[in-house]
Amino acid sequence: MQLLNVLEWAHAALPAADAAEADASAGAAPDGDGADRAATEVTIVVLSPHDPMTRGQLRRMAELARDEGHTVRWEDARGGPTAPLRTIGGLTPLLRRARRIVIGDPFSRYVQLLLALTGAPDLVVVDDGTATMEFISQLARGERLVRWHRSGGGRGARDLVLAPFSATARRRLTPPPEGGRRTVGVFSSMPVEAPPGVHLARNDFAWTRARFGPPRVMGAADIVGTSLVETGVVDADRYLAAVGTLARTHGASRYFAHRRESTEKLHRLAAATGLEIVRPDLPLELIARRGPVGRLIVSFPSTVVHTLPLALAGTEVRVAVCDIDPEWLTANASPRAQGFLDGVTGTARDVQRLPFGERMATG
C-alpha cells in the first residue's frame, strides 16, 4: 500500500516538480541538476520485509512502478545480521545529498534510523493506511510514535537502543516554526486534519483510476479480511462467526485475505463458511479496479473503507463497513483499540455502515 501511494504521490505531485526519489519505506531526492531531468523520474527504495506474502505484493508493485518509468532499488534490508549495515551504508550517500525524502511508514524503526542520516529540507509522508490517522494524532500531541495496536506502556531493549533515532525522526517530522527552512507534508486519502505547519495533500487515487478499469461487476458480494486476529486485537472464534454471518446475510462468495492472515485461520474460515479464499498479489484497490469485483464489498474497520470508494468512483460497486463489537476484543487488546476502530468506521465516507446489532438481527 505504501508503494501504491508513492505512485499516486508521483502522479499528483511531480508534473510541476523537480526529479525526486521516493521510498516504499524511505526515499530521497537528489540535490544536483534535477530540474533538467524528467519530472516523473523517481527512484523507489524498497526495504524488503521477511513476510513472503508482502514480498510477493511488493515485487508485483515494483513491476508496475518500472512500467511507469520509475527506478526501483530493492534492498534485502532484513536478510541477516549484516544486512542492515550494508543497507545503511549503501543509502547513506544518497540520503545525505537529498533535498526531498518521501516515506511510507513513520512508525518503522528502520525508517526512523535512516531519517537520522539526512538533513533533507523537504519531507513527505505518504499514506500507510489507517496508521496515518494515528501518526497525525500523535504528531499533533507531541507524543512518541507508537503503533495503535501495541498494548502496554513498557519499552523493550530494542526500543531503548533505538530511542535516540526515534526521537530524531519525530523532530524531523515535526514542522519547524513559521519561517523555518524545512517543510513537512502528508499525502493521504484518510480523513485527517494536518497539524499547524504540516501541508496536507489529498490522495484521490487518480493514477489508479486512470491506469485500470473500470471493472466488471459481479452479482455476489465480496468480503475483505483483516489481520486483527493476528495482531491480538480480536478473538479468532468471534471473528470467524462474524464472517460467517456476513457471508450468509449478504450473499458473499469470495474472501480477500489480508496478507498477514494465518493459513490456519483461513483454512478454518473456508471450512466453516464455504467462501473462496483469495490471496491478492496486489493491493486491493488495484484488484478491485481491475475486476471482476462484487456488487458489494464488505469490510471490517480498515484502510479499504476509505480507499475503495475513491478507487471505485464512478462504478456500481458499493462498500460497506462492519463495526467491531467490544465483546470481540481480546484481553490483550490495547486500551486504545476500540476507540481507534470506531474512529476508522465513523469517519468513512461513501460507505454503508453495518452496526453489530443490525447485522445480527438480519443474520
Side-chain angles (χ1 to χ4, degrees):
M1 187 63 183
Q2 296 167 31
L3 182 44
L4 170 58
N5 286 323
V6 169
L7 298 182
E8 291 288 352
W9 169 81
H11 178 79
L14 291 187
D18 289 346
E21 297 188 3
D23 171 2
S25 284
D31 60 356
D33 55 355
D36 296 330
R37 300 162 66 184
T40 56
E41 184 177 344
V42 177
T43 298
I44 300 171
V45 182
V46 179
L47 304 178
S48 178
H50 290 299
D51 176 60
M53 286 297 301
T54 308
R55 287 173 67 93
Q57 286 191 354
L58 278 169
R59 291 198 182 280
R60 287 296 314 279
M61 285 303 304
E63 293 174 7
L64 290 178
R66 292 187 181 101
D67 289 344
E68 293 299 305
H70 305 315
T71 299
V72 178
R73 178 168 171 163
W74 186 278
E75 296 282 346
D76 280 316
R78 300 170 176 86
T82 63
L85 291 177
R86 290 197 306 270
T87 298
I88 292 169
L91 293 178
T92 295
L94 184 67
L95 291 167
R96 285 183 174 168
R97 69 173 182 264
R99 289 183 293 111
R100 178 186 293 118
I101 301 288
V102 180
I103 67 172
D105 183 4
F107 294 105
S108 165
R109 295 289 189 256
Y110 214 138
V111 171
Q112 292 172 3
L113 175 60
L114 292 174
L115 280 179
L117 302 176
T118 179
D122 187 4
L123 184 62
V124 179
V125 179
V126 299
D127 252 340
D128 189 24
T130 53
T132 306
M133 299 167 68
E134 189 69 359
F135 163 68
I136 290 291
S137 296
Q138 293 177 14
L139 187 66
R141 296 191 297 263
E143 299 174 352
R144 68 186 183 97
L145 303 178
V146 181
R147 300 185 192 277
W148 69 269
H149 55 75
R150 287 185 60 176
S151 59
R155 302 177 71 178
R158 182 170 176 268
D159 288 331
L160 293 175
V161 169
L162 295 175
F165 301 105
S166 180
T168 298
R170 188 174 66 251
R171 288 194 298 271
R172 295 277 172 82
L173 291 164
T174 301
E178 187 175 352
R181 298 180 62 185
R182 291 188 299 109
T183 62
V184 179
V186 174
F187 181 74
S188 176
S189 60
M190 297 292 106
V192 295
E193 295 295 331
V198 175
H199 173 69
L200 177 63
R202 294 293 181 183
N203 176 12
D204 63 0
F205 286 86
W207 176 81
T208 296
R209 287 183 283 108
R211 183 74 163 75
F212 302 104
R216 178 169 62 88
V217 179
M218 303 187 303
D222 291 326
I223 296 178
V224 178
T226 175
S227 61
L228 290 174
V229 171
E230 284 70 16
T231 54
V233 176
V234 169
D235 176 78
D237 291 336
R238 299 271 192 167
Y239 179 77
L240 265 63
V243 172
T245 301
L246 288 174
R248 292 191 301 273
T249 303
H250 298 286
S253 61
R254 296 187 301 181
Y255 178 95
F256 286 96
H258 189 280
R259 67 182 185 279
R260 293 196 181 100
E261 287 191 82
S262 70
T263 301
E264 178 186 1
K265 185 185 80 174
L266 293 175
H267 282 322
R268 288 182 60 195
L269 192 149
T273 66
L275 289 167
E276 176 191 357
I277 307 298
V278 179
R279 286 275 200 182
D281 60 352
L282 288 169
L284 194 58
E285 293 77 11
L286 300 186
I287 294 291
R289 186 70 194 180
R290 292 168 60 165
V293 65
R295 56 176 171 75
L296 175 69
I297 299 176
V298 182
S299 174
F300 295 96
S302 73
T303 301
V304 298
V305 304
H306 297 277
T307 58
L308 282 179
L310 296 172
L312 293 168
T315 72
E316 302 173 8
V317 181
R318 294 182 297 116
V319 179
V321 57
C322 171
D323 286 327
I324 297 292
D325 189 275
E327 294 185 0
W328 300 355
L329 301 183
T330 68
N332 296 322
S334 164
R336 297 182 295 165
Q338 188 66 52
F340 179 81
L341 293 170
D342 287 346
V344 171
T345 301
T347 56
R349 298 160 297 206
D350 300 321
V351 300
Q352 176 185 352
R353 191 166 181 178
L354 304 174
F356 176 77
E358 291 183 14
R359 188 182 63 254
M360 293 304 294
T362 58

